[in-house]
Amino acid sequence: MRRRRGRPIDGWLIVDKPSGMTSTQVVGRVRYLFDACKAGHGGTLDPLATGLLPVAFGAATKTVPYVMDGTKRYHFTLRIGEARDSDDADGVVTGTSDVRPDNAAFEAALAAFRGDIMQIPPVFSALKVGGERAYDMARDGRPPDLPPRPARIDRFELIARPDADTAIFEVESGKGVYMRSLARDIARACGTVGHVAALRRLQVGPFGESDAIVLDKIVASADNAPASPDLLLPVATALDDIPALALTPEEAESLSHGQALSLLDLMGRIPDAVDPRSGVVRAMDGARVVGLCRPVDGWLRPVRML
């Protein structure tokens, strides 16, 4: 028999991911629990990591890129004195050091890791090299030589020092920044080696810990019906930090059919600040999000209609 595809539901579920599961496994689990036909996530977390994993259902998958472009906030624990091939506690030890930097050494080194930097990703990453995943090459004993990539670090602070072997940091960053690389590199900058012993994501774009649901608490009902869509946040929640533009119902209808609107007709309504990351505005028909649009050459053109 042909497998049933699931029901069409739309919205965001913010999962508090447990350690030991991949992001793909979490998406598969919640898709099963909600019997959803379409789901994806808004930013991969390593298996070792815990914290916010936004899962998009249905129409929310159209807004995933805007969530992934948002600011992310993490706490990570650096274990000092031991390098590992994966740059986290799941890897094999590749080197040791007796050097234990003091807090002043870390504070002095942190400045070089703030702002726009170049970062070498971990060899155990999902990046492709010649059509192969880097982590597959590393597992086969062929670790790739990955070039540095641009990264943006908005905040990088030492927040706790439980003992000489351990330091805890808080990071706010843009997309595509590897906490494992930051841990490896801050240790090296202080004349030692280290790896991530624990990692937790606290924020992804507009989503924070108050939005999160522990995976084990998402259960089907007593009669084995799927989990309730009432647990989901609206699709538009992902776009809350994008400037809003109020439209008339007629204008919203035109945009929905792919027609551009003259900016002259919208004078006085265009937000002063267009989203700096995407250059888009959030088109609104009352309380309903129509979609995302971009002002171009005197016209408001549809980018992604919801």
Side-chain angles (χ1 to χ4, degrees):
M1 292 182 64
R2 189 172 182 178
R3 182 184 178 275
R4 185 164 56 94
R5 289 182 57 85
R7 57 179 178 160
I9 59 173
D10 303 313
W12 282 94
L13 181 74
I14 314 304
V15 178
D16 191 335
K17 188 188 92 65
S19 182
M21 292 185 73
T22 67
S23 298
T24 300
Q25 288 172 333
V26 173
V27 172
R29 177 64 178 160
V30 297
R31 182 179 177 185
Y32 170 79
L33 289 170
F34 283 86
D35 188 29
C37 63
K38 187 176 184 180
H41 63 74
T44 302
L45 276 177
D46 295 333
L48 173 142
T50 66
L52 268 64
L53 182 69
V55 179
F57 292 98
T61 57
K62 297 179 180 180
T63 66
V64 164
Y66 303 96
V67 169
M68 295 182 69
D69 281 348
T71 296
K72 298 168 184 67
R73 185 162 57 92
Y74 301 86
H75 283 175
F76 75 76
T77 299
L78 172 68
R79 185 59 47 81
I80 304 163
E82 198 175 76
R84 302 209 175 194
D85 59 358
S86 63
D87 297 316
D88 67 15
D90 289 337
V92 175
V93 176
T94 58
T96 60
S97 172
D98 293 329
V99 176
R100 298 296 183 268
D102 60 16
N103 289 7
F106 279 119
E107 295 289 357
L110 283 170
F113 293 91
R114 300 183 183 120
D116 294 320
I117 67 170
M118 297 299 290
Q119 182 183 71
I120 298 175
V123 292
F124 282 83
S125 66
L127 295 175
K128 283 193 172 182
V129 180
E132 292 185 83
R133 296 290 185 188
Y135 53 65
D136 287 332
M137 298 173 68
R139 287 169 185 154
D140 289 343
R142 301 177 290 118
D145 185 14
L146 297 174
R149 293 157 49 99
R152 191 189 80 246
I153 312 297
D154 298 317
R155 183 166 173 261
F156 192 3
E157 305 288 347
L158 176 67
I159 61 171
R161 193 70 190 272
D163 53 57
D165 295 329
T166 310
I168 301 175
F169 296 87
E170 182 168 318
V171 180
E172 290 184 7
S173 68
K175 68 177 180 180
V177 178
Y178 291 92
M179 296 301 111
R180 286 177 290 149
S181 292
L182 278 182
R184 175 198 67 208
D185 294 343
I186 192 67
R188 288 178 178 173
C190 292
T192 186
V193 295
H195 65 271
V196 168
L199 172 64
R200 181 167 179 80
R201 186 157 65 189
L202 308 171
Q203 177 189 345
V204 184
F207 303 122
E209 287 190 290
S210 62
D211 300 310
I213 299 175
V214 176
L215 185 59
D216 288 345
K217 292 187 177 180
I218 305 169
V219 296
S221 63
D223 57 359
N224 288 324
S228 171
D230 292 342
L231 294 173
L232 306 184
L233 298 174
V235 173
T237 309
L239 310 175
D240 282 351
D241 56 353
I242 296 177
L245 169 64
L247 301 177
T248 66
E250 294 75 21
E251 291 167 340
E253 183 72 13
S254 296
L255 278 176
S256 296
H257 288 89
Q259 300 174 24
L261 303 178
S262 171
L263 293 181
L264 290 175
D265 296 332
L266 300 171
M267 287 187 66
R269 288 185 278 159
I270 297 290
D272 291 335
V274 176
D275 182 75
R277 297 182 303 273
S278 60
V280 301
V281 296
R282 175 168 41 106
M284 305 291 297
D285 178 11
R288 180 176 71 91
V289 178
V290 179
L292 297 173
C293 305
R294 181 177 289 116
V296 180
D297 297 331
W299 296 90
L300 184 71
R301 301 187 183 279
V303 174
R304 176 72 73 176
M305 295 295 101
L306 302 181

